[in-house]
Amino acid sequence: MTSEITLFVNRPAGGGRGARAARTAAAALRDAGFHVGTVTGDGPEDALSRARSAVEEGTGALIAVGGDGMANLALQAVVGTGTPFGLVAAGTGNDFARALGMPLREPATSGRMIADALKSGRSRDVDLGRIGDRWFGAVLASGFDSRVNDRGNRMRAPLGRFKYDVAMVAELAAFRPLPYRITLDGGAVREVEATLVAVGNGPSYGGGMRICPGADLTDGLFDVTVVGECSRATLLRVFPRVYKGTHVDHPVVTVMRAASVELAAEDVTGYADGEYVGPLPLTATCVPGAVRVVGP
């Protein structure tokens, strides 16, 4: 394997946290004997184009530095190429890093871990979800949680993650269950009233909320968590349990497994790895071994 590897960095992210993490990780990789180049860009499309160019030119690995958004962008560049993917978690959510077992906000440790894996040839193939030509590593969210995202993205104030807390309170005030049509593996259409439906390749979203706690990156299947029709009071009781994954024990929650999931509902959008995908209906397919990962 070539010793030339590429860091894929969102420098302004987190008030410069991405740039600082990239410098620290690069130092660890260079100490291990690697030649490290850096790819960034003027916006997501330019950055993705540059990352794809690095992969096409034969970089030995593409290592994303940032949060779930940066990881998701990097996946679009490496999927199906055989180029190893690494992740230095330096964002706010870091849910794909959690699923991969990478340390959070420890760029030196992450750099050494990736260097050791590359030098020893240690890698593993993990599943990804695909929606059309878009790929995701963690969770496709829809329903109450995606409406919180929608509202938060429209808000100009307050700044940072706090605006999503404000958006959640506002959405709770307007809360009502939504009529969904769910189709698993091309079977019969299930019509359900649901608060949210999450399709998990990995277990968590939103910075450690284990919405699909049993999801496994290597089993070729999604875990589909359906929070059914419930009152605001029930939702407020159930939702905090998502951090431990114990919400799945509540009678209002159903978990199913499938390799293909079609979701349809009116006026509902989908977010994958925290990134806007589009309005439902959407069909997600689990693709086994879609990307080669270096790390633990």
Side-chain angles (χ1 to χ4, degrees):
M1 188 201 77
T2 177
S3 63
E4 303 280 347
I5 60 176
T6 303
L7 292 186
F8 187 37
V9 187
N10 182 2
R11 294 185 186 278
R17 184 170 60 224
R20 292 191 295 272
R23 287 194 295 269
T24 302
L29 288 158
R30 290 188 180 109
D31 287 345
F34 289 94
H35 299 282
V36 182
T38 301
V39 166
T40 185
D42 298 322
E45 289 186 8
D46 182 51
L48 178 56
S49 176
R50 293 170 184 260
R52 282 177 167 152
S53 293
V55 171
E56 289 168 2
E57 291 165 8
T59 186
L62 185 69
I63 301 166
V65 183
D68 287 319
M70 203 62 189
N72 181 272
L73 201 59
L75 290 175
Q76 314 308 311
V78 299
V79 66
T81 67
T83 299
F85 166 82
L87 181 53
V88 176
T92 52
N94 300 316
D95 288 291
F96 194 45
R98 285 182 173 86
L100 294 175
M102 292 299 295
L104 307 183
R105 301 188 187 93
E106 296 181 26
T109 302
S110 297
R112 289 191 294 268
M113 187 178 292
I114 292 168
D116 179 66
L118 288 169
K119 292 177 79 171
S120 65
R122 187 178 70 249
S123 65
R124 57 191 172 119
D125 293 337
V126 303
D127 308 340
L128 294 178
R130 186 181 68 209
I131 305 166
D133 60 357
R134 293 275 302 274
W135 300 83
F136 67 96
V139 176
L140 167 64
S142 73
F144 174 75
D145 41 11
S146 66
R147 288 192 167 183
V148 170
N149 260 324
D150 286 339
R151 184 182 290 267
N153 291 342
R154 293 193 300 267
M155 294 168 59
R156 295 187 177 181
L159 298 176
R161 291 185 64 84
F162 183 63
K163 70 179 179 180
Y164 293 99
D165 295 332
V166 175
M168 181 176 289
V169 172
E171 282 300 320
L172 273 172
F175 167 77
R176 60 179 176 81
L178 305 165
Y180 271 86
R181 297 178 302 282
I182 304 172
T183 307
L184 304 181
D185 292 332
V189 176
R190 303 167 187 245
E191 296 188 1
V192 299
E193 294 287 322
T195 302
L196 65 86
V197 180
V199 180
N201 184 55
S204 71
Y205 64 2
M209 293 190 289
R210 295 178 58 80
I211 188 69
C212 300
D216 183 336
L217 294 179
T218 61
D219 64 358
L221 295 171
F222 293 127
D223 276 29
V224 184
T225 298
V226 179
V227 179
E229 183 176 8
C230 62
S231 66
R232 292 185 185 90
T234 299
L235 181 60
L236 286 169
R237 285 196 301 271
V238 173
F239 205 73
R241 294 167 57 175
V242 76
Y243 285 97
K244 293 185 177 180
T246 57
H247 62 292
V248 297
D249 298 326
H250 194 281
V252 79
V253 179
T254 303
V255 179
M256 301 172 286
R257 309 185 80 213
S260 176
V261 181
E262 181 180 348
L263 301 178
E266 297 293 330
D267 300 320
V268 177
T269 52
Y271 286 79
D273 294 343
E275 300 296 306
Y276 176 80
V277 176
L280 273 54
L282 293 171
T283 299
T285 303
C286 185
V287 180
V291 67
R292 180 159 298 166
V293 173
V294 287

